[in-house]
Amino acid sequence: GENVEQHPSTLSVQEGDSAVIKCTYSDSASNYFPWYKQELGKRPQLIIDIRSNVGEKKDQRIAVTLNKTAKHFSLHITETQPEDSAVYFCAATGTASKLTFGTGTRLQVTL
Amino acid sequence: GAGVSQSPSNKVTEKGKDVELRCDPISGHTALYWYRQSLGQGLEFLIYFQGNSAPDKSGLPSDRFSAERTGGSVSTLTIQRTQQEDSAVYLCASSLSQRSEAFFGQGTRLTVV
């Protein structure tokens, strides 16, 4: 089955700096890669996703890149703000597989 | 309702008792997942239902855990003879398909005393 690894487990950045979270996956058949944000005490919510037919997708301050050959994908947050502080989970799935999550990255944006 | 609904929101039970957790997915969503999240930890996969296919039960931690999904809609997760290590938040999620956004419920916080 699919295995998703996520790094780093914790990340501290200063407000205004960029943050990058990286994930690798094992199943070459995976073709959908969502990212979820979970604020303290809340449920995870989708912030951006990418399908395997594109290499990059942007939505305002967040972007995701996908390298199918290397089987890794990354989340980039620019101009970080205190409200970006949360736990971020990457995930991967394919047409015949379940949604498999990474272990999460706790992002702390300091003033 | 507009989203995934879970009940109860909180459940305190005595060690050894059975509990049932309920999930009402978004109408029309064929995929339904159960995850477990301990405090400050990640999303531990438990079970996955997809349409009429046999469920993927590979994440259930022991035979005390079981789940069913009736009529392709509501799902119940049952934990028999609860243990203290079962204490966690149990999250349900549903999606239109495997390759679309999964929407999470608010979770059931289970405390075994």
Side-chain angles (χ1 to χ4, degrees):
Chain A
E2 176 66 274
N3 181 49
V4 178
E5 295 193 356
Q6 183 172 348
H7 300 282
S9 56
T10 60
L11 180 58
S12 182
V13 299
Q14 282 201 313
E15 183 180 6
D17 286 351
S18 295
V20 180
I21 302 170
K22 299 183 178 182
C23 289
T24 60
Y25 61 99
S26 61
D27 187 352
S28 56
S30 288
N31 53 16
Y32 175 62
F33 307 91
W35 286 86
Y36 286 79
K37 176 183 181 182
Q38 187 177 29
E39 296 177 353
L40 194 61
K42 303 274 184 70
R43 72 191 78 183
Q45 291 193 297
L46 182 80
I47 54 170
I48 195 167
D49 57 13
I50 190 168
R51 289 182 166 78
S52 58
N53 57 343
V54 298
E56 183 174 0
K57 183 176 178 181
K58 271 183 116 170
D59 182 3
Q60 299 183 341
R61 295 187 298 107
I62 60 174
V64 58
T65 58
L66 171 65
N67 183 327
K68 284 173 57 181
T69 305
K71 291 195 283 216
H72 65 69
F73 56 114
S74 301
L75 177 72
H76 303 252
I77 306 174
T78 58
E79 300 169 31
T80 52
Q81 300 168 5
E83 52 265 38
D84 295 329
S85 295
V87 178
Y88 292 80
F89 293 97
C90 63
T93 185
T95 50
S97 61
K98 63 183 180 288
L99 190 62
T100 301
F101 284 91
T103 48
T105 296
R106 185 174 302 277
L107 174 64
Q108 179 78 40
V109 180
T110 57
L111 297 172
Chain B
V4 178
S5 179
Q6 291 186 245
S7 60
S9 299
N10 282 284
K11 177 73 176 178
V12 180
T13 190
E14 289 183 352
K15 179 181 169 182
K17 294 280 175 71
D18 298 352
V19 294
E20 264 192 14
L21 313 180
R22 178 187 168 104
C23 173
D24 279 276
I26 294 172
S27 178
H29 280 194
T30 61
L32 187 147
Y33 304 85
W34 283 97
Y35 294 91
R36 179 168 71 174
Q37 189 171 38
S38 300
L39 190 63
Q41 300 301 307
L43 299 164
E44 178 189 2
F45 167 74
L46 296 177
I47 189 167
Y48 164 54
F49 297 90
Q50 173 55 48
N52 296 321
S53 303
D56 180 342
K57 304 179 182 181
S58 60
L60 295 178
S62 77
D63 58 9
R64 296 186 295 105
F65 288 72
S66 63
E68 62 177 23
R69 188 178 185 190
T70 52
S73 182
V74 172
S75 177
T76 55
L77 176 69
T78 301
I79 309 173
Q80 296 179 307
R81 305 181 302 281
T82 51
Q83 304 294 312
Q84 286 188 326
E85 60 262 29
D86 299 335
S87 297
V89 175
Y90 290 79
L91 288 162
C92 173
S94 74
S95 63
L96 206 53
S97 72
Q98 294 104 315
R99 295 179 67 240
S100 58
E101 178 178 1
F103 293 84
F104 282 82
Q106 82 281 13
T108 293
R109 181 176 300 279
L110 176 67
T111 305
V112 182
V113 297

